[in-house]
Amino acid sequence: MLRLIGQRLLAMVPLLLIVSVMTFSFTALLPSDPVDLIIGDRGSEEQYEMVRERLGLNQPFLTRYADWLLRAMTGDLGTSFFNSVQVKDAVLQRMPATLSLTFGSVLISITVGLAAGVAAGLRPGSWVDRTATFGATIGQAIPNFWFGIILASVFAVSLRWFPATGYVPLTDSPMEWLRSITLPALALGLSTSAAIARQVRSAMVGVLQQDYIRAARAQGLSSRRVVLKHALKNALVPVVTVLSFQITVLLGGALIVEQVFAINGIGSLAITAVRQQDIPMIQGIVLILVLVVMLVQLATDILYGLINPKARPT
Amino acid sequence: MLLTLLFCALFAEWVTPYDPLQQDLINALQGPSVEHWLGTDDLGRDVLSRLIFGSRIAVIAPAEATGLAVLIGVPIGLFIGFRGGWWDWVVMRVVEAVVSIPGIMVAIVIIAILGTGLHRAMFALGILYSTAFLRLARSVVLTEREEVYVKSARVIGAGPTRILLRHIFLNIAPPLIVQVTLTVGAVLLAEAGLSFIGIGVQPPQASWGTMLNSAASFMELSPFLAVPPGIAIVATVLAVNLLGDVLRDSIGRGVRVPSTGAPAQRMLAVPRKATTPMAPHPDDALRVEGLEIMVSPKGEAEVPVVTDMSFRIAKGETLGLVGESGSGKTVTGLGLMGLIGTGVRITNGRVMLENTNLLGLDRRDLEKARGNDVAMVFQDPTTSLNPTYTVGNQIAEVLRIKQGLSHRAARDRTIELIDRVGIPRPAQQADAYPHELSGGMAQRIAIARALSCTPKLLIADEPTTALDVTVQQEILDLFRDLQDEFGMAMLFVTHDLAVAADICDRIAVMYCGEIVETAPVDALFADPRHPYTAGLLSAMPHGQSGKPPLPVIRGSVPAPGHWPTGCRFAARCPYAIDACAKPVQMTGTDRLERCTRADELSLEPAK
C-alpha cells in the first residue's frame, strides 16, 4: 500500500509540471500589458521600465518560467502584481472556506446519494425507486448556484435558520462554522448526490443479482445483513469512482456557490485576479487547486483499493 | 419543451410583451401582475421579456460551445488515435492536465486571456469540452483499429484513408450524438454559472445567468425574482438530458431482438391429478410432495416450470437430480430453500425437512433454517463467494451469526473447516480473497461454508460443472468423504449422468419440469424404464471407442408453457402410442416411472 502511494505521488510530478507549463504559457498570452494596468495611463517611460524590471517581465519567457518553477518548488509562488501580498499566503488564507464547502458537500452527497441509491436499488420499479430516479434526474439539471439562492431565500432570509452570507472559520466557532457552510454545502452537493444515487442504484441492482448474494441468503444470513454487509460494499466501488471524477466539479462549483453566499474563498480571489489580470495570482490558484484535486484523487484511489481487493497491487 | 425554446429564441421580438431593456424604475422589483406576468426586476424591466430573450442565449451558447468542442476535439482525437506514438502521448498528457483542473477554473483562465462576453466565454467552454470529444474520437479509433474487419479491409487493399473514413466515421456517430447532448446540458449550466459570477454574458444583455445574478442581490427584497430564470434553466437542461437518455437507449440497444415464442401458442399446463402422496418414513431427511413452481415472464401469463415434483432422500443418502438444461432442476433446488427470485412462485406442495414444512415457515424461521438445517453449494465458486471479503471472513461470519460463536472461536473453527476440505496452509488461505484462489479451491471454501453449521441437507447445484475435469473428481471425492463424516443427506443437481453415477445412491431423472423416473443408480443404468432415461443413457459418451456416432434424442426440449398435456416426452419418443396423449402418473413401488408403457417396453441399458 505504501508503495502504491509512493508511486502515485511520483506520478503526480509530471502532471503538475504540465499544468504549470500550461498555466504559465496561457497567462503569458494575456492580451493586456500588466505594467500598464499597474501604473495606469499617466506613468512615465522610466516608471514603466522600472515596474517591468521589478516584475521580471523584461526577461525572456523561458527564463521567467524556470525562475518561477524553481521558486514554486520551494513553496514561493511569487507576489501579487497589485498588492504586495504573497500569492501563497493569499491562497492559503482563502483555502479553508473553499475546502470546508467542498468537503461538506462531499459528505452530504455520499450520505444522500448512498441512502437514495440503496433504497431505490433494493426494489427496482417500486415507487421509492421511481421517486429517487426522478429526483436524481432533476437534481442533475439544477444549477448549484440557483439551488443556493433558493435555499438562502427560504432557510436564511425567510426562516432565518441559517446565516445568508459569510463564512465563520472553524477555529473561531465550530458551531457557527457548521451553520455558515450548511446551506452552501447543500447547494453544492445536490448534483453530486444525484450522480452518486444513480450509480449506487444501478450498482445495487446489479450486485443483488449476483450469485454471492444468493449464496449468502442460502447460508441463512438475514436480508438486512446481506444488503448492508455483502451488497453495499460491492456497490460502494462505483461511488468512489464517481467521487474521484466529481471532485473537480465540486471544487469548481464551490467557486460559484461562494458568490451566492458572499463567502470569501478561492472563488472571489480568482475572479478578482482575472479582472485585474494578476498573473502570479492566477498561476498560484490553478497550481494549488490542481494539487488539491490530485491529493483527493490519490485518497480515492487508496479507498478504492480498500473496498475492492482485486484492485490492490499484488 | 425544446421546440418552445427554439421558437422563443427565433421570434423573441414578436413574442415578448415589453422591450427587455426598457427600464421603469418606479415599478421595480414587483411581483407577478396582470401587466407583468412574472413581475419586474431591480430596474423595472419585464422579467418575462428578459426570460424570452434569455432563451436566445440558451440556444446560441450551447450551439457555439458544443460546435467548437466537436470541431476541435474530434479531428485531434482522430489524428492522435491514428497517428499514435509521440503525438498521442503528449496530447493525452495535456488532456489529463486540463481535466485535473476544475472546469470552471479552466474557463476562468481562458476568459482572463480573451476577456469577458458571451462569445468569448463560449469559446472558452468549447476548448474545455473539446477534451471529452477528443477522448471519444481517440478511443473509437483505437477500438476500431483493432477490429477484425478493419484488418480484413486492409488485406483486401483499401487504403488507410478509406478505412478511416468508412469504418471509423460510421462507428463514431452514435456515441458522438450522445456526447453532444451531454455537452449541451453541461454548457447550459456552465454558461449560467459564468454569467452568474459576471464573466460570461455582460449586463444589460439578458441571459438566465445574469438574471439570477441580479436576483441573488435582491434576495431579501424580492425572492421571486430568482424563480423564473432558474426554472427555465432546469427545464431546459432536463429536457436536453432526457433527450440524451432516450438517444442513448435507442442507439445502445441497436437492433431489437425479437421475443422468443409466440404467445398465441402458449398454453398452460392443465392441472393434473397429483401422484398419490408418499407415506412418511422415519428414515427420511427430506420429503418433497407435489411441488409446483410457476414463473411469470415479464408481461406474460404465468407458466409452470416444475409440476408434481415428489421425492424423498433418506438420512446420509445422496439423490441425483438429473436432466437437460431447462428441465427445472436448478429452480427445484432453489425452491426447496425458498430462494426463488421475483416473478417466481411456489404454488403447491410441501417440503418436509424431517418434521418441518420449509414452505410453511415465515421469513425469520426460514432464515434460521437456512444454513443450520439446509445449505447449498452453487455451480460457479468464483461468483458465489463475495469478492470483497476474505474467504475466512465469509465462513466465520456464518459461524458467528448462525452458531453464536465468538470472533476467536469462529476463526479457529474456520481454519479447521478449511483444513478439513483439503486446502493446504489453512490459516494463510483463510486471509485470501476469492479471486486469489483457483476454481477448485474456491469450491472447497464454498463447501466448507455450506457445511459449517452441519446441516441435515446439502443441496449441491452442479457443483463440479464449472471446474476442470481433474478437479471435478477431487471435489466429488471430497463430497463423499464429508458425507461419511457429517452424515447429511445430499441433493445433487447435475446434467452429467456420469457424475451422478459416481456420487449418487439414487437418481431422479427430470424432463420438462417433472420427474420421469426415480431408481437406484445401478438399477437405472442396467434397466431404464422410461424411454427418456434410455435416450439419455445412450447419449452418454463412453470410453471404449467412438465407433457409432453418439445417438441423439430427436427433436428438442419444449420450453415451459409449450408442454403437451399428455406425456411431455411423447413427441420425441420412439415408442409413443395414442395412449400417451393422456396425462401420465408416476407408478411403481420400489422404483418409480412416469410412462404408460413402462411394463411392456424393454429398453437398452447403458453400455
Side-chain angles (χ1 to χ4, degrees), chain A residues 103-126:
Chain A
F103 286 107
S105 68
V106 166
L107 270 184
I108 288 171
S109 35
I110 292 179
T111 319
V112 176
L114 216 52
V118 169
L122 279 182
R123 291 184 212 298
S126 66

Side-chain angles (χ1 to χ4, degrees), chain A residues 31 146 211-212 220 225 230 234, chain B residues 108 113 226 383 386 389 397 402:
Chain A
W146 181 63
D211 280 355
Y212 55 80
R225 193 173 177 85
H230 289 266
N234 286 281
Chain B
I108 290 178
I113 300 166
T383 59
N386 192 328
Y389 291 99
E397 180 190 18
K402 307 297 292 187

Side-chain angles (χ1 to χ4, degrees), chain B residues 274-296:
Chain B
T275 311
T276 30
M278 293 176 289
H281 193 279
D283 220 25
D284 285 347
L286 175 77
R287 202 173 63 252
V288 176
E289 295 169 2
L291 187 68
E292 182 181 69
I293 302 177
M294 309 281 271
V295 171
S296 36

Side-chain angles (χ1 to χ4, degrees), chain A residues 18 26 30-31 145-146 211-212 215 217 219-220 223 225 229-230 233-234 259 274-275 277 290 293 309 312, chain B residues 93 101 108 112-113 197-198 212 226 230 367 370 378 383-384 386-389 393 397-398 401-402 433 449:
Chain A
I18 294 172
F26 268 128
L30 284 180
F145 61 94
W146 181 63
D211 280 355
Y212 55 80
R217 282 195 213 281
Q219 216 48 61
S223 309
R225 193 173 177 85
K229 183 177 168 186
H230 289 266
K233 192 166 172 192
N234 286 281
Q259 304 307 302
V274 166
R275 288 246 168 83
Q277 312 238 323
V290 171
V293 169
R312 279 179 215 168
Chain B
R93 294 296 86 73
I101 310 173
I108 290 178
I113 300 166
I197 58 175
L212 281 177
E367 267 170 12
R370 287 182 201 148
F378 292 85
T383 59
S384 64
N386 192 328
T388 56
Y389 291 99
N393 181 334
E397 180 190 18
V398 173
I401 305 293
K402 307 297 292 187
Y433 285 93
R449 178 172 67 171

Side-chain angles (χ1 to χ4, degrees), chain B residues 337-378:
Chain B
M337 302 199 75
L339 273 177
I340 46 177
T342 45
V344 186
R345 141 182 116 84
I346 296 176
T347 44
N348 223 330
R350 295 202 297 168
V351 175
M352 302 300 297
L353 189 68
E354 291 188 342
N355 292 316
T356 332
N357 180 9
L358 290 182
L359 300 184
L361 296 179
D362 62 16
R363 196 176 59 93
R364 282 189 57 182
D365 285 337
L366 186 60
E367 267 170 12
K368 215 164 144 189
R370 287 182 201 148
N372 277 333
D373 298 331
V374 48
M376 192 156 177
V377 174
F378 292 85

Side-chain angles (χ1 to χ4, degrees), chain A:
Chain A
M1 189 50 87
L2 277 177
R3 233 183 64 200
L4 172 81
I5 298 174
Q7 280 171 354
R8 289 301 309 256
L9 282 173
L10 275 181
M12 281 163 61
V13 175
L15 200 56
L16 272 177
L17 266 180
I18 294 172
V19 170
S20 75
V21 173
M22 272 171 33
T23 46
F24 204 89
S25 39
F26 268 128
T27 42
L29 292 175
L30 284 180
S32 53
D33 189 339
V35 183
D36 279 341
L37 287 171
I38 294 170
I39 58 176
D41 292 339
R42 274 165 297 179
S44 67
E45 196 71 15
E46 285 148 47
Q47 262 181 312
Y48 182 87
E49 283 306 321
M50 221 172 69
V51 175
R52 218 171 123 77
E53 206 176 312
R54 176 167 67 82
L55 299 180
L57 290 175
N58 49 354
Q59 306 285 325
F61 174 76
L62 275 180
T63 321
R64 275 189 287 149
Y65 174 66
D67 189 42
W68 176 79
L69 187 65
L70 282 175
R71 280 190 293 133
M73 281 197 279
T74 63
D76 176 10
L77 291 173
T79 318
S80 160
F81 277 168
F82 293 90
N83 38 36
S84 42
V85 181
Q86 283 281 314
V87 169
K88 190 181 70 180
D89 296 343
V91 174
L92 289 185
Q93 190 219 327
R94 300 296 193 95
M95 213 47 164
T98 305
L99 286 186
S100 303
L101 215 62
T102 309
F103 286 107
S105 68
V106 166
L107 270 184
I108 288 171
S109 35
I110 292 179
T111 319
V112 176
L114 216 52
V118 169
L122 279 182
R123 291 184 212 298
S126 66
W127 67 268
V128 180
D129 177 34
R130 287 202 300 271
T131 315
T133 309
F134 182 70
T137 313
I138 302 266
Q140 285 191 304
I142 294 181
N144 48 30
F145 61 94
W146 181 63
F147 190 49
I149 295 174
I150 301 293
L151 284 179
S153 60
V154 174
F155 294 105
V157 177
S158 303
L159 296 173
R160 308 216 165 266
W161 290 352
F162 296 95
T165 54
Y167 167 76
V168 182
L170 177 63
T171 44
D172 287 8
S173 154
M175 200 52 220
E176 285 306 302
W177 169 79
L178 197 63
R179 271 164 49 91
S180 72
I181 66 159
T182 302
L183 291 183
L186 270 174
L188 188 55
L190 178 72
S191 70
T192 306
S193 307
I196 289 181
R198 285 187 143 197
Q199 287 293 333
V200 172
R201 180 199 174 271
S202 65
M204 203 70 186
V205 170
V207 168
L208 285 176
Q209 287 169 352
Q210 294 294 315
D211 280 355
Y212 55 80
I213 295 302
R214 206 167 53 180
R217 282 195 213 281
Q219 216 48 61
L221 303 176
S222 65
S223 309
R224 197 188 144 89
R225 193 173 177 85
V226 168
V227 169
L228 292 184
K229 183 177 168 186
H230 289 266
L232 194 58
K233 192 166 172 192
N234 286 281
L236 274 179
V237 175
V239 176
V240 177
T241 320
V242 173
L243 264 187
S244 134
F245 277 119
Q246 289 273 330
I247 188 65
T248 54
V249 178
L250 287 176
L251 258 181
L255 306 189
I256 294 181
V257 171
E258 279 169 13
Q259 304 307 302
V260 178
F261 294 90
I263 290 173
N264 278 327
I266 298 290
S268 55
L269 191 69
I271 293 166
T272 319
V274 166
R275 288 246 168 83
Q276 296 181 329
Q277 312 238 323
D278 191 345
I279 297 173
M281 193 62 91
I282 298 177
Q283 289 165 342
I285 293 173
V286 172
L287 204 65
I288 292 184
L289 282 185
V290 171
L291 201 63
V292 171
V293 169
M294 286 180 179
L295 289 175
V296 172
Q297 283 174 343
L298 175 66
T300 53
D301 271 7
I302 294 168
L303 213 61
Y304 191 80
L306 287 181
I307 294 176
N308 182 6
K310 281 188 200 171
R312 279 179 215 168
T314 43

